[in-house]
Amino acid sequence: MTKVKQESAYLFNTGQSFQSYDFLGLHLQADGSYTLRVWAPNAKGIAIVGDFNDWEPTIELTMLDTTGIWEANTDGIHPGDHYKIQVTGLDGRTYLKIDPYARQFEKKPGVAAIVPAPTTFKWHDGLYLGRRKRLHHDQRPLNIYEVHLGSWRRNADDSYYSYEQLADELIPYVKELGYTHIEILPITEHVLDASWGYQTFGYFAPTSRHGNWEGFLNFIDRLHAENIGVIADFVPGHFIKNYDALYEYDGTATFEPQDKFTAKNVRWGTWNFDLGKPQVQSFLVSSAMFWLKEAHIDGLRIDGVTNMIYLDQDEGKDHIRNEHGDNRDLAAIAFTQKLNAVVKQNLPDVMMIAEESSPFVGITKPTNEGGLGFDYKWNMGWMNDTLKFFEMDPLFRKDNFNLLTFSFMYMYDEKFILPLSHDEVVHGKKSLMHKMPGDRYNQFANLRLMFAYLTAHPGKQLLFMGSEWGQFLEWRDYSALEWKDLADEMNREMSTYTNVLNHLYTDSKALFQQDDRADGLIFTNTDDAASSTMTFIRQGIAPRDFMVTAFNFVPVEKRQFKIGVPYPGTYEVVLNTEDEEFGGTWTHVETTFKTEAVAYKGQPYSFEVTLPATGALYIKPKRIRMK
């Protein structure tokens, strides 16, 4: 064994190989032959079978000393060939398995890998990546459009869009609506559509549903050309249950824990990764680095972090404790810290985002300070409370106003993204539009109001596809969105509103520059539960960059509604959620206000407005005098 191979195997086996995809898997050599390496430490024998040898085990691999890594070199393989790995276990039985490092798989329901052709793809996103490095993401607007590629749009015959079709139609749509990023549900290869990609097996392959590797790269490149970032959901906690994938890969527990009770994820119907095993760490960190480095992905949203970092999250595991007597999964916590530390060391300008719903302290705290090291955490508490509040009949909102104000108690504990995601519009939960109370007019009014509240609240923001125009049907992964809705005037007006609100957000530094700092929000009137109204000011870094926001959460117009402000002068309305162009009833109304030297709610000056029923106003300084 050469020194290079010895070092590569050592790094992989000690959990220090963070680009193991360069060593393991199938690789084209300069002379036209292929080298295959597979990690299967307890196997008795390994062979590659496929189209090139009539699926007979004629090409056998040999283990590199005692590394657990098997290798073979052959010149009988060609691009486009299908192949699998035949594993002979300790009991003498043979199993056909996937290549864990394959870059391309056949279309479902098969799981055979495909020998990829040599890539000819060239990137054109140098300027975009340069801008990404120069200005940190926490200083930029982050408005994410979450999309499931398989059901955003479909062809007339109900077939999936290709990556090229998605680039042609999704990119201009997202850009026109003013989103800064898209977030894609897992794009790694998977068999079951209903899993949405969260039961994955191809950790180095984009799903074949939409095309091949080069098609996917071109999709990313074209998004970057329009200055749109890409976040991908990533699933390092668990994998598909199928026996021809990673489960008992060498005939014994390889990627999963030895203990079947610990290995089985009952709630999700998957197998848990053994996150304390060094080789599994190398595999998963390498997968994350692969998408970030080789596919130029701008960030990863890590799925199911709560399930990873606690021992008792699954059914029947309430009693499990660690050696300290608590429910933390110490190995998973250490792995998560390693994953984030490696990513930040190599690619400090990408985003690592946690889908995490527990009170765990330090999710977005740096790893060198004892935190998990994520850049952002999904604020699931804000999401649950906000949706619960808006689903209520307005008559009861005054008695449950704490659902809105509670988030102010912890909004700077972590760096948050405020998500209205796919999980909230599926499995009988109803669409966001359908959740809103009242008749159709009032449902749209409430939806506009909720979106205005989302945008004004400290934190970056995310919205799932279809919600932008108020689709009434809840999301179905097996069919396209209800684009016919846009033939309806009220849905078109809702889409116009989302467009205007999104562009106002990206153009207003006050709404994003200080999301995670106390200086970014000035409380003016947030405790008036009796009237179900609220006002606060979002403050940018520059003193003149601020936005006054006022919300009325009941269908009763508030006249002579007083708003306190810090400086004297003239202020103007830049957004009224009840404007006629958005589907509201307001046409010719006063939009400019002059302050009076009347102190109100801790502010030295004030002015009065008419606050629309079930509506919100965004008000900016027009001409003010600053001390």
Side-chain angles (χ1 to χ4, degrees):
M1 183 168 57
T2 67
K3 185 176 181 181
V4 171
K5 292 180 183 178
Q6 188 176 33
E7 182 178 355
S8 296
Y10 172 79
L11 292 174
F12 177 79
N13 281 317
T14 55
Q16 302 176 75
S17 179
F18 307 135
Q19 289 181 214
S20 58
Y21 53 85
D22 287 335
F23 180 59
L24 290 155
L26 188 67
H27 296 279
L28 177 64
Q29 303 301 314
D31 62 1
S33 66
Y34 282 87
T35 298
L36 175 68
R37 297 188 187 94
V38 177
W39 174 58
N42 295 313
K44 286 181 65 177
I46 300 287
I48 180 173
V49 298
D51 297 333
F52 41 82
N53 62 359
D54 295 324
W55 297 89
E56 294 293 332
T58 58
I59 305 173
E60 297 183 346
L61 284 69
T62 57
M63 188 182 288
L64 298 174
D65 292 344
T66 59
T67 63
I69 296 173
W70 300 70
E71 180 187 74
N73 183 268
T74 179
D75 56 7
I77 298 176
H78 305 92
D81 285 343
H82 292 58
Y83 73 96
K84 291 185 179 181
I85 310 300
Q86 180 174 297
V87 178
T88 303
L90 289 176
D91 58 4
R93 292 190 296 171
T94 60
Y95 314 86
L96 285 181
K97 295 285 191 177
I98 66 166
D99 174 3
Y101 284 86
R103 307 287 179 91
Q104 185 177 344
F105 287 92
E106 65 180 329
K107 294 184 183 297
K108 62 171 187 168
V111 295
I114 298 177
V115 179
T119 183
T120 59
F121 179 80
K122 295 186 184 299
W123 289 100
H124 307 90
D125 62 351
L127 288 176
Y128 173 86
L129 296 179
R131 288 194 299 269
R132 194 180 79 179
K133 289 180 179 178
R134 285 193 297 273
L135 184 61
H136 197 268
H137 46 76
D138 68 358
Q139 288 295 300
R140 301 200 309 264
L142 184 56
N143 189 12
I144 305 166
Y145 184 72
E146 189 190 26
V147 58
H148 176 252
L149 298 182
S151 61
W152 183 71
R153 279 191 186 272
R154 290 199 179 186
N155 291 306
D157 62 358
D158 204 37
S159 61
Y160 298 113
Y161 263 28
S162 67
Y163 289 121
E164 183 178 5
Q165 287 177 297
L166 287 164
D168 288 343
E169 297 187 28
L170 176 61
I171 294 174
Y173 179 81
V174 169
K175 184 175 182 180
E176 171 66 21
L177 277 177
Y179 290 98
T180 65
H181 292 71
I182 64 169
E183 180 173 321
I184 312 171
L185 274 62
I187 41 77
T188 44
E189 191 60 274
H190 56 285
V191 175
L192 181 64
D193 284 353
S195 78
W196 314 330
Y198 293 100
Q199 294 184 7
T200 191
F201 67 85
Y203 276 79
F204 296 85
T207 177
S208 57
R209 287 164 175 79
H210 310 291
N212 60 19
W213 172 241
E214 291 205 1
F216 178 71
L217 296 185
N218 184 62
F219 177 50
I220 303 301
D221 200 38
R222 289 179 61 182
L223 280 157
H224 285 174
E226 298 298 335
N227 203 32
I228 299 169
V230 186
I231 300 165
D233 283 10
F234 184 63
V235 191
H238 57 102
F239 57 89
I240 192 172
K241 203 167 186 176
N242 296 28
Y243 281 57
D244 52 3
L246 298 179
Y247 175 67
E248 290 192 347
Y249 191 82
D250 63 5
T252 67
T254 309
F255 290 90
E256 71 277 12
Q258 295 285 338
D259 176 42
K260 281 280 177 58
F261 180 73
T262 305
K264 184 177 293 187
N265 192 309
V266 177
R267 182 173 51 163
W268 291 333
T270 54
W271 299 109
N272 293 317
F273 278 109
D274 185 348
L275 297 177
K277 187 178 289 185
Q279 297 90 340
V280 172
Q281 294 175 7
S282 289
F283 174 77
L284 290 172
V285 175
S286 293
S287 176
M289 289 297 295
F290 175 78
W291 296 107
L292 294 169
K293 188 173 182 180
E294 306 301 327
H296 291 200
I297 297 290
D298 299 282
L300 297 177
R301 176 267 202 183
I302 308 302
D303 180 67
V305 173
T306 306
N307 186 75
M308 291 167 59
I309 62 176
Y310 291 106
L311 296 165
D312 59 355
Q313 291 297 296
D314 197 17
E315 294 179 25
K317 299 181 181 179
D318 298 353
H319 63 285
I320 300 180
R321 295 292 181 267
N322 61 31
E323 58 266 36
H324 304 294
D326 62 58
N327 64 345
R328 293 172 302 148
D329 188 326
L330 302 179
I333 290 171
F335 163 76
T336 305
Q337 291 172 320
K338 173 187 274 191
L339 170 64
N340 286 324
V342 170
V343 168
K344 284 301 159 189
Q345 182 178 1
N346 291 275
L347 297 165
D349 52 326
V350 305
M351 291 177 281
M352 297 296 285
I353 302 166
E355 187 233 357
E356 207 285 318
S357 57
S358 80
F360 191 99
V361 177
I363 298 292
T364 57
K365 191 176 182 180
T367 56
N368 59 9
E369 297 177 17
L372 291 190
F374 287 99
D375 293 290
Y376 301 103
K377 170 182 173 175
W378 273 21
N379 193 335
M380 311 295 277
W382 174 91
M383 176 271 296
N384 281 306
D385 288 348
T386 299
L387 289 179
K388 186 176 180 180
F389 179 86
F390 273 93
E391 286 181 88
M392 287 181 179
D393 186 308
L395 181 66
F396 304 110
R397 288 179 177 176
K398 67 179 184 296
D399 297 320
N400 294 276
F401 212 62
N402 62 305
L403 290 171
L404 288 187
T405 59
F406 182 64
S407 62
F408 294 143
M409 303 294 292
Y410 63 86
M411 61 186 170
Y412 301 126
D413 290 354
E414 304 279 2
K415 295 182 180 180
F416 286 117
I417 289 175
L418 309 177
L420 294 173
S421 76
H422 65 280
D423 277 328
E424 310 317 314
V425 295
V426 73
H427 294 328
K429 294 182 181 179
K430 302 186 292 189
S431 68
L432 295 186
M433 173 66 172
H434 196 180
K435 294 177 194 288
M436 300 296 109
D439 59 17
R440 197 158 183 257
Y441 177 87
N442 280 289
Q443 285 180 314
F444 275 111
N446 273 285
L447 193 61
R448 293 192 299 268
L449 175 59
M450 185 171 70
F451 286 1
Y453 182 67
L454 160 69
T455 300
H457 193 288
K460 310 303 183 183
Q461 56 191 49
L462 175 145
L463 186 69
F464 185 60
M465 63 183 197
S467 302
E468 69 271 20
W469 73 71
Q471 176 171 304
F472 188 80
L473 288 180
E474 71 174 17
W475 173 51
R476 299 168 299 180
D477 65 87
Y478 52 84
S479 64
L481 295 176
E482 296 287 301
W483 293 97
K484 63 183 180 181
D485 286 351
L486 292 174
D488 182 275
E489 183 179 10
M490 296 183 79
N491 289 113
R492 290 198 307 272
E493 290 166 338
M494 184 67 207
S495 179
T496 297
Y497 169 75
T498 303
N499 185 318
V500 171
L501 180 63
N502 284 349
H503 282 93
L504 179 60
Y505 167 73
T506 55
D507 292 340
S508 303
K509 293 179 181 179
L511 295 175
F512 61 80
Q513 271 191 334
Q514 301 199 93
D515 278 317
D516 59 344
R517 306 172 197 167
D519 291 342
L521 186 144
I522 301 169
F523 295 101
T524 52
N525 188 11
T526 56
D527 58 356
D528 192 0
S531 71
S532 294
T533 62
M534 179 184 294
T535 65
F536 56 80
I537 297 172
R538 288 300 310 277
Q539 177 68 58
I541 293 174
R544 285 185 177 272
D545 282 331
F546 64 91
M547 182 77 73
V548 180
T549 62
F551 305 91
N552 182 5
F553 298 103
V554 291
V556 179
E557 185 176 273
K558 310 287 185 180
R559 298 189 176 185
Q560 296 180 315
F561 184 82
K562 192 179 292 292
I563 297 176
V565 290
Y567 306 110
T570 304
Y571 290 74
E572 63 178 340
V573 173
V574 293
L575 180 79
N576 181 339
T577 64
E578 278 295 290
D579 272 349
E580 190 175 41
E581 68 169 320
F582 305 144
T585 59
W586 285 46
T587 52
H588 303 292
V589 294
E590 186 179 9
T591 58
T592 304
F593 307 97
K594 189 176 179 62
T595 60
E596 296 180 321
V598 177
Y600 186 71
K601 297 291 183 178
Q603 299 300 313
Y605 304 94
S606 62
F607 54 83
E608 291 183 346
V609 303
T610 299
L611 189 58
T614 318
L617 300 176
Y618 279 26
I619 304 169
K620 286 189 68 175
K622 186 176 183 180
R623 287 185 297 273
I624 58 173
R625 299 187 303 277
M626 302 183 68
K627 297 177 181 178

